[in-house]
Amino acid sequence: MASPSLSHGRAAPGAVVADGPQPELSVVLPCLDEADTVAACVEKAWRALRESGIDGEVIVADNGSRDGSPELAAAAGARVVHVAERGYGSALAAGIAAARGRWVLMGDADDSYDFGELPAFVAKLREGFELVQGCRLPSGGGTILPGAMPPAHRWIGNPFFSLLARRWFGAPVRDVYCGLRAFERELVLRLGQRCTGMEFATEMILLASRAGVRMSEVAITLHPDGRRAHPPHLRTLRDGWRTLRLFLAHGARWSLREPGRLLFLAGLAGYGAALVRGSQASLTLLVLASGALLSGHLACALEVILGLRKDRAGRVDVRRSTASDLEWKLACSALTILA
């Protein structure tokens, strides 16, 4: 990724500017055409820092806005980072890289998160947690105000992926998609994230869980976003599939290897039963056993192939494994099984 360009906004009262001492916390807001709300978010973040006595800075990572968002953010006191590579993850990665604080709190610039809850995250970080995740869902003590989250996200997508994160990776979170979270800056740099889209936030949780990072959760309130000029950037089907393939790639043991082994064993058992029955074995039994063997073999083979796409540090190469490998291999496997 090319180095982001920087521009400095008017320092808010109590601000720690770029050439001052290292702040304790950097608030990073990704932004793409958020003229309706970005200034209010910056002002709320500064207010929370001042009222809680936390030395900090506010960074807006702008992803090519054309509606004057960078100028509004700078006027409100933010340091603006201009990010050429498109994508929610790209903007956040550049903002985190440009941050100067020991800790980073990231949150959307659509005014759906209350930055007045910032001190609760810092308190957890001071207790020794390395990553503190917000939780909007009532199951984790959070609150979702009417109209703040689409029903499909609230009742299906978010609970499903959060359950997978807990079961497959041991992540102690109930809201894996929540974009309001705080963490040690150096931790995220060490994780070496690769996703550039909306799944960046989920990838952080999965990699941190695999690395044994100390995590905690803070209950927060989700508000309806304040956008008027355009709808949310999140696309349910597109981003849902990208998140699913991320889980499939990083959790290949549970998504491929273990189901593959069970299917293979079931196929062997079917053939064993057919041998015992001899000529009395039904065609249906043989077809089912063959299908189980083939499916199990393909699942285990795909898990091995994905494993070969890891880098020297043992991380799955998401850009290659999920985008260019996983989709067409799944399609070929499905066609083979059907044949």
Side-chain angles (χ1 to χ4, degrees):
M1 180 186 299
S3 299
S5 59
L6 306 179
S7 63
H8 298 280
R10 171 179 54 81
V16 178
V17 295
D19 56 354
Q22 181 186 28
E24 184 177 26
L25 181 72
S26 296
V27 180
V28 176
L29 288 70
C31 175
L32 175 60
D33 294 329
E34 305 291 6
D36 291 331
T37 54
V38 66
C41 291
V42 172
E43 291 167 359
K44 290 177 181 179
W46 275 122
R47 187 181 307 119
L49 290 170
R50 291 195 304 269
E51 292 178 353
S52 59
I54 299 171
D55 289 332
E57 64 176 351
V58 180
I59 297 173
V60 170
D62 188 74
N63 212 195
S65 297
R66 298 182 179 180
D67 63 351
S69 293
E71 292 77 15
L72 292 170
R79 178 158 60 99
V80 178
V81 178
H82 297 281
V83 187
E85 184 176 357
R86 299 303 289 268
Y88 173 83
S90 298
L92 276 171
I96 294 168
R100 298 171 47 257
R102 174 189 174 188
W103 297 319
V104 172
L105 181 136
M106 67 180 227
D108 296 343
D110 61 2
D111 208 20
S112 60
Y113 293 124
D114 180 4
F115 288 97
E117 297 174 310
L118 176 155
F121 289 85
V122 174
K124 287 288 185 181
L125 291 170
R126 288 172 176 170
E127 289 177 19
F129 292 101
E130 298 170 272
L131 192 157
V132 184
Q133 173 75 353
C135 181
R136 304 162 295 178
L137 301 180
S139 60
T143 302
I144 301 175
L145 297 181
M149 184 184 293
H153 297 182
R154 178 174 182 175
W155 303 110
I156 301 175
N158 209 332
F160 171 71
F161 286 120
S162 298
L163 177 63
L164 287 187
R166 293 195 300 274
R167 295 292 176 85
W168 288 7
F169 297 90
V173 299
R174 294 186 176 275
D175 188 3
V176 73
Y177 258 126
C178 183
L180 185 63
R181 65 184 64 171
F183 43 84
E184 291 186 357
R185 177 179 178 273
E186 294 301 321
L187 164 69
V188 172
L189 297 181
R190 291 199 312 269
L191 290 179
Q193 293 184 241
R194 299 173 183 271
C195 291
T196 60
M198 288 291 185
E199 68 274 24
F200 177 90
T202 306
E203 182 191 28
M204 183 188 297
I205 297 293
L206 302 189
L207 293 178
S209 299
R210 178 173 288 174
V213 169
R214 287 194 66 200
M215 285 190 278
S216 183
E217 205 167 39
V218 170
I220 65 169
T221 299
L222 181 68
H223 301 259
D225 70 59
R227 295 184 181 105
R228 297 295 180 267
H230 62 82
H233 297 298
L234 182 67
R235 298 292 181 266
T236 299
L237 294 180
R238 179 199 65 185
D239 294 314
W241 165 244
R242 292 173 68 167
T243 301
L244 179 59
R245 73 185 187 188
L246 181 73
F247 273 88
L248 292 174
H250 284 289
R253 173 188 174 188
W254 299 108
S255 62
L256 295 170
R257 186 199 309 172
E258 298 304 330
R261 286 177 174 177
L262 291 175
L263 285 169
F264 196 84
L265 291 175
L268 289 178
Y271 271 105
L275 288 173
V276 171
R277 299 182 66 178
S279 60
Q280 301 300 316
S282 67
L283 179 61
T284 301
L285 177 61
L286 290 172
V287 169
L288 291 175
S290 299
L293 278 173
L294 181 59
S295 301
H297 168 73
L298 288 172
C300 292
L302 182 56
E303 191 269 339
V304 172
I305 292 170
L306 286 175
L308 295 177
R309 293 293 192 173
K310 294 179 180 178
D311 61 19
R312 293 181 180 179
R315 297 186 299 263
V316 174
D317 190 335
V318 175
R319 291 187 181 182
R320 298 176 64 191
S321 294
T322 59
S324 62
D325 281 346
L326 182 59
E327 291 172 346
W328 75 265
K329 285 187 174 68
L330 286 175
C332 291
S333 299
L335 290 175
T336 305
I337 292 169
L338 290 174

